[in-house]
Structure formats: structure tokens, C-alpha cells
Amino acid sequence: MRRLGDVLIEQHVLTAEQLDAAFESKPREVLLGDWLVSQKMLTTGQLGGALAEQFSVPYVDIDVTTVDAQVARLLPEDFAQSRQSGAIKVEGRQLTLAMVAPDDIETIAEAELMTGYQIKPAVAMAEDIEDLVSRVYDDRAVARQTIVDMKLAELRELQESGEDNTASIISVEQEDAPVVRLVQAILSGAATAGASDVHLEPHKPEMRVRYRVDGELQQVMTIPNHIEDSVISRIKVMADMDTTENRRPQDGHLNVFENGKRVGFRVSGIPTVDGQKLVLRLLDEGGKNYSLDNLGMMYRDNTMLRQMIAKPHGMFVVTGPTGSGKSTTLYAVLQHLNGDDRNIVTVEDPVEYRISGINQVQSDNEFGMGFANALKYIMRQDPDVIMVGEIRDSETAMTAIQAALTGHLLISTLHTNDAVGAVQRLADLGVDNFKIAGSLLGSVAQRLLRRVCENCKQPIRPNENLLDALDPEGKIARSVDFFRGDGCKKCLGTGFSGRLPIFEIMPITPDITMAIEAGVPHSKLQQMAVDAGMVELSTAGLEQAIAGCTSLEEVYFKTSGDRRRSDSKTSSLGKRETDLADHAAGI
């Protein structure tokens, strides 16, 4: 068999001199082809073509979205991983096997024995095979295939026989029932994908299942309408909800075990015109490590926050929209304050995470334990620190302020757009300005920005008009490079992978206290806070964009108040998002 270098020279892809230079610089443990691609001396396609010539087999550029999962799973997962191979196509009695080493006769023989097909080897890139293996054996893919494999025969029989809903529920409680496997795959797939929520939405002709990953909803499958009720019933049974009640909202809680750890789901159901809609919020109790040092705060923000909560009494609030990470920040603050010398009591709706050493109370209006009433009872429990899940009405606001003014440290959340907005929000709830001024220790606003995918990240020169919209004072040099993800298989074409927080912390100085008491306008208070050292959300976002952690467009969308988004899931998303941001900025 010819050497790869000789093939590349024969194909006039590289010269002998270039090849010699590559050999001299290549680390011993790195393969020649991988080294040439990493040094941008070859494209992946050129390497694939050369390998195909070298091994006398076809080269395949695997698109995992077009590979039949049932075909891929003809081989066991551990075999595919250990042999760096994947089944990608069946034609007649012939199975195409993508391999990093297509001359591995032993792997080909074992694959033929396992599958019963004649193996047709093809060469593929190692990362493509890794991506194929990780995707087709993912629980979400298993769930999709479960729908196909089970053919829904027994469920159709139940429906056609006219048996009542009770019989259906009994069926889905059987541990080997197809619906049981389907629901388990949906829940496990959500945990594996790092989703924050699972949406099961009844539509015609199919129920839609979507995961919220990195703050964005992604459709993962559809479920035929004739088994929709069985899927909903199964989840309700697991969550200890009333399976016969379809006209009122319900809440529940269930647990599953994924990779040896328990994952909790908070279940919320509401009736819609097409049926029951369920949303399951993931509560990964085993994977959370609440700490101020793990929040992702910059040093200046961490220091300012610690100074605020070090005070023995007063009110500290975290603000932001739903899904901005407020609860995580609150739990990190509680964990920091937790100690044998403090009595910490919380009232939450619901209690999402349990923290050892902290007395957590579930809010329940039906039993007279709403936020306001619960606070009154907690005040009799000799608390040092009180956490209220959310201040959402006048009674709760008044009671919380009273607690803060009478020697307790009270922390809570508010729904406002920025840190300074907490003052106006409390005033809107009927709290007097002098009480706000006398109790407020500080306010934190936060957002979660999508992180640029490291695999496809590329430097770009930003549109100056967009940068002007975020940095009107010109503090940032216009020659600075920013980054954007082009979209790749690892990030499913979005250009983003994971999220990072940004914070805006309003300090309370004597001048700001006097301004709050005097009821100065929001804009004036905002400027005073900036002069006192507050870094605004847009500036904090720009710092992350300059560092290459997120894109300029993401900062604009999450901090400017313009929520319009491109829903493209292709690699062109980055460009479309830029165009949309330019339009929104008035370019």
C-alpha cells in the first residue's frame, strides 16, 4: 500500500518540499493527515480523497442527519467506539461501513458476523465517526427510533378495542410498554442534551416535542396523536398527578436516574384547544455546585456582591427575565451565607433544589402559606437570613421590606430589565421611597448569553454601526476583532455551544440612597450608579464578546431589549443573525 505522502504528491496537492517540512514539524504522536489539516496545508476533503486513493475505497463525508439510526445501531455502541467505525448505509445485502482504518480486516470480519451483511468499507474522518456514534446512540435518537420500531401496534389495538382511559393508563404503567420506553428516552435524552426544559405540545396531526438547550428551543421529535394521551398519562403517573383531570392546570414532580445520578423534573400541565400541554423543567440536583466562585462573575462583580451580602441586615435583590439564572445566583448566595451560626429560612414556589443546613419552605396559597403569609410566620422563627423566591405583589413587598428594616438580611428576585429598575419596581408595588432607601443593600441584573462554539469559531470584523449602537461613546477601538461561530456538526449549525452569564450590579452609596429617597427618575439614578462603579449589561456583554466568548450580535439581542431573532438552524444562522442585528440597530 502506498504511503499517504506519496499519494498527496501524485495528486499535486503538496510538493515534496512541503511534505518534508511537515514531517519535521509534526509531533511524533500525531498522524500525518491530521497534522496537515491542522496546519491548513490540506482541507478535510483533500485528505479524504487522498485516503480513498491510498486504501482504494470510497471516501464518505458523513452527514449524521441523513444516516438512518436503525442502520447505525446494527453495530453495538462499544464496538463502534472502540473500532472507530460506523454503519451508514444498507443496499441489498451490502452494508457500507465508515472506518478510520478501512484496511482493518478483523473489524470488517466481526462486523459481518454481527450484522449478517457483506461489509463494504469506506474511509471517513475520525471526528465524523465520533459525531455519528455520539448522535445515533443518544437517547433522543433512541426515542425517535422507538416510535418507528414499535409500530404502535398494541396502542392501536387498545384504541380500536374501545377500552377506557383506565386501561390505557394500566398499559403505560407496564415497565416493558413501548410508551414507557418512549417517555424514558425523552427524559433521558433531555438530561444528556443539557436541556433546561422539555415541551410536549399537542398539535394536529402530531404532538411536538422540543428541548430548550442554551436558551433556544429545538424540536427533537413528533409523536402521533393516537398515542399522545398515553404519553401524557405516563408522565402524569410518574409525577403523581391526576390522570383523569384534563381541564385544570396541574403541577407535579418526578425523578429519573441518568448516568448514575438522579435528575428531577418539575412538571406543569395546562389544557389547550388541542389537548394537554406539558412542560418539564429539569432540576439536576446531583450536578449542581452552588458557589459564588462558580457563577462566572468577573472579579470586580464577585467582590462587590460579597460586600453587599456581608451586611447583617437589609434587602438584596436579583433581577432579570425568566430563564436568566436568577435562582442559581440566589442559591449561590445562600450557600455562601450558610453556616452553623446563622438561621436561614427560605420560602419558594416551588423548592427546586434542597440545600443541607437551610430551612426551605414550600409556598402554598391553598393552605395560607403564600409568600406574604409565609414571611410573617418565618419572622417568628428567629431567622438571620430570609430568602423569598420572588416579590410579585404589594403585600409580599411590604412584608419583605419590613423584615429587612427590622434586623434581617432578606434576599429575593424581581422581574425588571436592569438593576436600577428594582427601585422603581418596589415603588410600583407600593413601597415608600424612604423605606426602599433605608433597606436596599444592592441590586443585581443578569442575563445568560450563548457561548460561541469553540469548534467553528472564526474572527470577524464587526459592522461599525452595530458596534456604535452598543458602544455609543466609542470606548472600544473599532479595529478590534470579534468572533462568531460559522456553524458545524458539533453545535448543530447554530454557531453556539453552552452559555455564560453577565452581571450588572448597582452599588448603594450615600448619594444613591438620598436620590432613592428623593424619588429621582430612573435615568438619573442609572447615571449615578454608573458613576459609582456600576458596569452596565451591554458593557459587560461587550467585554465577553471582545474576549471571544460570545458574539456581538448575541450581546445586542440580549441587552438592547430587541428580542427579534433568526430561527435558522443552519450554518448560515450567524450571517442572518448579523443582518437582523444590523436592521434592528437602524443600519
Coordinates of all heavy atoms in Angstrom, one line a residue, residues 187-188 190-197 253-266 280-290 328 331 351-355:
L187 N -37.0 11.7 28.5 CA -36.5 12.3 29.7 C -34.9 12.2 29.8 O -34.2 13.1 30.1 CB -37.1 11.7 30.9 CG -38.7 11.9 31.0 CD1 -39.2 11.2 32.3 CD2 -39.1 13.3 30.9
S188 N -34.5 11.0 29.4 CA -33.0 10.7 29.5 C -32.3 11.6 28.4 O -31.2 12.1 28.6 CB -32.7 9.3 29.3 OG -33.3 8.5 30.3
A190 N -33.2 14.5 27.3 CA -33.1 15.9 27.8 C -32.0 16.1 28.7 O -31.3 17.1 28.6 CB -34.5 16.2 28.4
A191 N -31.8 15.1 29.6 CA -30.7 15.2 30.6 C -29.3 15.1 29.8 O -28.4 15.9 30.1 CB -30.8 14.1 31.6
T192 N -29.2 14.2 28.9 CA -28.0 14.0 28.1 C -27.7 15.3 27.3 O -26.5 15.7 27.2 CB -28.1 12.8 27.2 OG1 -28.4 11.7 28.0 CG2 -26.8 12.6 26.4
A193 N -28.7 15.9 26.7 CA -28.5 17.1 25.9 C -28.2 18.3 26.6 O -27.9 19.4 26.0 CB -29.8 17.3 25.0
G194 N -28.4 18.3 28.0 CA -28.2 19.5 28.8 C -29.3 20.5 28.6 O -29.1 21.7 28.7
A195 N -30.5 20.0 28.4 CA -31.7 20.8 28.2 C -32.1 21.4 29.6 O -31.9 20.8 30.6 CB -32.8 20.0 27.6
S196 N -32.8 22.5 29.6 CA -33.3 23.1 30.8 C -34.8 22.8 30.9 O -35.4 22.8 32.0 CB -33.1 24.6 30.8 OG -33.7 25.3 29.7
D197 N -35.5 22.6 29.7 CA -36.9 22.3 29.7 C -37.2 21.3 28.6 O -36.6 21.3 27.6 CB -37.7 23.6 29.5 CG -37.5 24.6 30.6 OD1 -36.5 25.5 30.4 OD2 -38.2 24.6 31.6
H253 N -44.0 16.4 40.2 CA -42.6 16.3 40.2 C -42.3 14.8 40.0 O -42.9 13.9 40.5 CB -42.1 16.7 41.6 CG -40.6 16.8 41.7 ND1 -39.8 15.7 41.9 CD2 -39.7 17.8 41.5 CE1 -38.5 16.0 41.9 NE2 -38.4 17.3 41.7
L254 N -41.2 14.5 39.2 CA -40.8 13.2 39.0 C -39.3 13.1 39.0 O -38.6 14.1 38.8 CB -41.4 12.6 37.7 CG -41.0 13.2 36.4 CD1 -39.8 12.6 35.8 CD2 -42.2 13.1 35.4
N255 N -38.7 11.9 39.2 CA -37.3 11.7 39.1 C -36.9 10.6 38.2 O -37.7 9.6 38.1 CB -36.7 11.4 40.5 CG -36.9 12.5 41.5 OD1 -36.3 13.6 41.3 ND2 -37.6 12.3 42.6
V256 N -35.8 10.7 37.5 CA -35.2 9.6 36.7 C -33.7 9.5 37.1 O -33.2 10.5 37.6 CB -35.4 9.8 35.2 CG1 -36.9 9.8 34.8 CG2 -34.7 11.1 34.7
F257 N -33.1 8.4 36.8 CA -31.7 8.2 37.0 C -31.0 8.2 35.7 O -31.3 7.4 34.8 CB -31.4 7.0 37.8 CG -31.8 7.1 39.3 CD1 -33.1 6.9 39.7 CD2 -30.8 7.6 40.2 CE1 -33.4 7.0 41.1 CE2 -31.2 7.8 41.5 CZ -32.4 7.5 42.0
E258 N -30.0 9.1 35.5 CA -29.3 9.1 34.2 C -27.8 9.1 34.6 O -27.3 10.0 35.3 CB -29.7 10.4 33.5 CG -28.9 10.6 32.2 CD -29.2 9.6 31.1 OE1 -30.2 8.9 31.3 OE2 -28.4 9.4 30.2
N259 N -27.1 8.2 34.0 CA -25.6 8.0 34.3 C -25.3 8.0 35.7 O -24.3 8.6 36.2 CB -24.9 9.2 33.6 CG -25.0 9.2 32.1 OD1 -25.1 8.1 31.5 ND2 -25.0 10.3 31.4
G260 N -26.1 7.3 36.5 CA -25.8 7.1 37.9 C -26.2 8.2 38.8 O -26.0 8.1 40.0
K261 N -26.8 9.3 38.3 CA -27.3 10.4 39.2 C -28.7 10.7 39.0 O -29.3 10.4 37.9 CB -26.4 11.6 38.9 CG -26.6 12.3 37.6 CD -25.7 13.5 37.4 CE -25.9 14.1 36.0 NZ -25.1 15.3 35.9
R262 N -29.4 11.2 40.0 CA -30.8 11.5 40.0 C -31.0 12.8 39.3 O -30.4 13.8 39.7 CB -31.4 11.5 41.4 CG -32.9 11.6 41.4 CD -33.5 11.5 42.8 NE -33.1 12.7 43.5 CZ -33.6 12.9 44.7 NH1 -34.4 12.1 45.3 NH2 -33.3 14.0 45.4
V263 N -32.0 12.9 38.4 CA -32.4 14.1 37.7 C -33.8 14.3 38.0 O -34.7 13.4 37.7 CB -32.1 14.1 36.2 CG1 -32.5 15.4 35.6 CG2 -30.6 13.8 35.9
G264 N -34.2 15.4 38.6 CA -35.6 15.7 38.9 C -36.2 16.6 37.8 O -35.5 17.3 37.1
F265 N -37.5 16.4 37.6 CA -38.3 17.2 36.7 C -39.5 17.8 37.4 O -40.2 17.1 38.1 CB -38.8 16.3 35.5 CG -37.7 15.8 34.6 CD1 -37.0 14.7 34.9 CD2 -37.5 16.4 33.4 CE1 -36.0 14.2 34.0 CE2 -36.5 16.0 32.5 CZ -35.8 14.9 32.8
R266 N -39.6 19.1 37.3 CA -40.8 19.8 37.7 C -41.8 19.8 36.6 O -41.5 20.3 35.5 CB -40.5 21.2 38.2 CG -41.7 21.9 38.9 CD -41.3 23.3 39.3 NE -41.3 24.2 38.1 CZ -40.5 25.2 38.0 NH1 -39.6 25.5 39.0 NH2 -40.5 26.0 36.9
L280 N -41.7 20.3 31.2 CA -40.9 19.7 32.3 C -39.7 20.5 32.5 O -38.8 20.6 31.6 CB -40.6 18.2 32.0 CG -41.8 17.2 32.0 CD1 -42.6 17.3 30.7 CD2 -41.3 15.8 32.2
R281 N -39.4 21.0 33.7 CA -38.2 21.8 34.0 C -37.2 20.8 34.6 O -37.5 20.2 35.6 CB -38.5 22.9 34.9 CG -37.3 23.6 35.6 CD -36.4 24.3 34.6 NE -37.0 25.3 33.8 CZ -37.1 26.6 34.1 NH1 -36.7 27.0 35.3 NH2 -37.7 27.4 33.3
L282 N -36.0 20.7 34.1 CA -35.0 19.8 34.6 C -34.4 20.4 35.9 O -34.0 21.6 35.9 CB -33.9 19.6 33.6 CG -34.1 18.4 32.7 CD1 -35.1 18.8 31.6 CD2 -32.8 17.9 32.1
L283 N -34.3 19.6 36.9 CA -33.7 20.0 38.2 C -32.6 19.0 38.5 O -32.8 18.0 39.1 CB -34.7 20.0 39.3 CG -36.1 20.7 39.1 CD1 -37.0 20.4 40.2 CD2 -35.8 22.2 38.9
D284 N -31.4 19.3 37.9 CA -30.3 18.4 38.0 C -29.6 18.5 39.4 O -28.6 19.2 39.6 CB -29.3 18.7 36.9 CG -28.1 17.7 36.9 OD1 -28.2 16.7 37.7 OD2 -27.2 17.8 36.0
E285 N -30.2 17.9 40.4 CA -29.8 18.1 41.8 C -28.4 17.5 42.0 O -27.6 18.1 42.8 CB -30.8 17.4 42.7 CG -32.2 18.0 42.6 CD -33.2 17.2 43.5 OE1 -32.8 16.5 44.4 OE2 -34.4 17.4 43.2
G286 N -28.1 16.5 41.3 CA -26.8 15.9 41.5 C -25.6 16.6 40.9 O -24.5 16.4 41.2
G287 N -25.9 17.5 39.9 CA -24.9 18.1 39.1 C -24.7 19.6 39.5 O -23.9 20.2 38.8
K288 N -25.4 20.1 40.5 CA -25.3 21.5 40.8 C -24.2 21.7 41.9 O -24.2 21.0 42.9 CB -26.6 22.0 41.3 CG -27.6 22.1 40.2 CD -27.3 23.2 39.2 CE -28.4 23.4 38.2 NZ -28.1 24.5 37.2
N289 N -23.4 22.7 41.7 CA -22.4 23.0 42.8 C -22.5 24.5 43.0 O -21.9 25.3 42.2 CB -21.0 22.7 42.3 CG -20.0 23.0 43.4 OD1 -20.3 23.3 44.5 ND2 -18.7 23.1 43.0
Y290 N -23.4 24.9 43.9 CA -23.6 26.4 44.1 C -22.5 27.0 44.9 O -22.2 26.7 46.0 CB -25.0 26.5 44.9 CG -26.2 26.0 44.1 CD1 -26.8 24.9 44.4 CD2 -26.6 26.7 43.0 CE1 -27.9 24.4 43.7 CE2 -27.7 26.3 42.3 CZ -28.3 25.1 42.6 OH -29.4 24.7 41.9
T328 N -30.1 30.5 40.3 CA -28.8 30.0 40.5 C -28.0 30.9 41.4 O -27.2 30.5 42.3 CB -28.1 29.7 39.2 OG1 -28.8 28.7 38.4 CG2 -26.7 29.2 39.4
Y331 N -29.2 30.8 45.0 CA -28.7 29.6 45.7 C -27.2 29.7 46.0 O -26.8 29.2 47.1 CB -29.0 28.4 44.9 CG -30.4 27.9 45.0 CD1 -31.3 27.9 44.0 CD2 -30.9 27.4 46.3 CE1 -32.6 27.4 44.1 CE2 -32.2 26.9 46.4 CZ -33.1 27.0 45.3 OH -34.4 26.5 45.4
V351 N -39.8 24.6 45.7 CA -38.5 24.4 46.2 C -37.8 23.5 45.1 O -38.1 22.3 45.0 CB -38.5 23.7 47.6 CG1 -37.1 23.4 48.0 CG2 -39.1 24.6 48.6
E352 N -36.9 24.1 44.3 CA -36.3 23.4 43.2 C -35.1 22.5 43.7 O -34.9 21.4 43.2 CB -35.9 24.4 42.1 CG -37.1 25.1 41.5 CD -36.7 25.9 40.3 OE1 -35.4 26.0 40.0 OE2 -37.5 26.5 39.6
Y353 N -34.3 23.1 44.5 CA -33.1 22.4 45.0 C -33.0 22.5 46.5 O -33.3 23.5 47.1 CB -31.8 23.0 44.3 CG -31.9 23.0 42.8 CD1 -32.1 24.2 42.1 CD2 -31.6 21.9 42.1 CE1 -32.2 24.2 40.7 CE2 -31.6 21.9 40.8 CZ -31.9 23.0 40.1 OH -32.0 23.0 38.7
R354 N -32.7 21.4 47.1 CA -32.6 21.3 48.5 C -31.1 21.4 48.9 O -30.2 20.8 48.4 CB -33.1 20.0 49.0 CG -34.6 19.9 48.7 CD -35.2 18.6 49.2 NE -36.6 18.5 48.9 CZ -37.4 17.5 49.2 NH1 -36.9 16.5 49.9 NH2 -38.7 17.5 48.9
I355 N -30.9 22.3 49.9 CA -29.5 22.6 50.3 C -29.4 22.3 51.8 O -30.2 22.8 52.6 CB -29.2 24.1 50.1 CG1 -29.3 24.5 48.7 CG2 -27.7 24.4 50.6 CD1 -29.0 26.0 48.4

